[in-house]
Amino acid sequence: MRLGDGGEPELQAAIRAQGNATEYIPISLILLVLLELSGAHAALVHSGGIAVLVGRILHARGLLTESLRYRILGMQVTIFTLIGLAVVNLAYVVYTGLRTL
């Protein structure tokens, strides 16, 4: 079944690369915005954003060049960054909650 890609493998890979980015970038941006609103230092927010960007670029490169090594590395960077951002956001919630007691 054709999905508007004309059966072209390069176009299919590009569509998948974009689709994969739309699965991970929104949650990354939400976590970064929450971190910013929590009052985190700008360097922490920027480093999280840079890490997400690097992970997504590595993964896209792996998809477009069919390099499994870059795909795996890109996903590792992305997932570990998301976990880190979630943990840091939780730490800020706990810290600010304890500070107000």
Side-chain angles (χ1 to χ4, degrees), residues 4-94:
D5 56 22
E8 294 292 325
E10 290 179 2
L11 184 55
Q12 290 172 346
I15 290 170
R16 191 60 225 136
Q18 180 185 6
N20 193 274
T22 61
E23 294 164 1
Y24 288 96
I25 291 175
I27 189 68
S28 302
L29 292 176
I30 290 169
L31 288 169
L32 288 167
V33 166
L34 289 173
L35 193 58
E36 172 79 21
L37 293 174
S38 295
H41 195 275
L44 184 60
V45 177
H46 290 183
S47 62
I50 289 169
V52 169
L53 180 64
V54 167
R56 297 289 75 217
I57 289 172
L58 287 170
H59 188 264
R61 179 178 176 184
L63 275 174
L64 297 175
T65 62
E66 297 180 9
S67 171
L68 188 58
R69 183 178 71 159
Y70 283 114
R71 285 182 68 184
I72 291 171
L73 182 60
M75 282 310 302
Q76 287 174 336
V77 170
T78 300
I79 294 297
F80 289 136
T81 302
L82 287 175
I83 292 169
L85 287 171
V87 168
V88 171
N89 270 299
L90 288 173
Y92 267 94
V93 167
V94 169

Side-chain angles (χ1 to χ4, degrees), residues 93-101:
V93 167
V94 169
Y95 174 71
T96 56
L98 292 175
R99 202 171 56 177
T100 59
L101 291 179

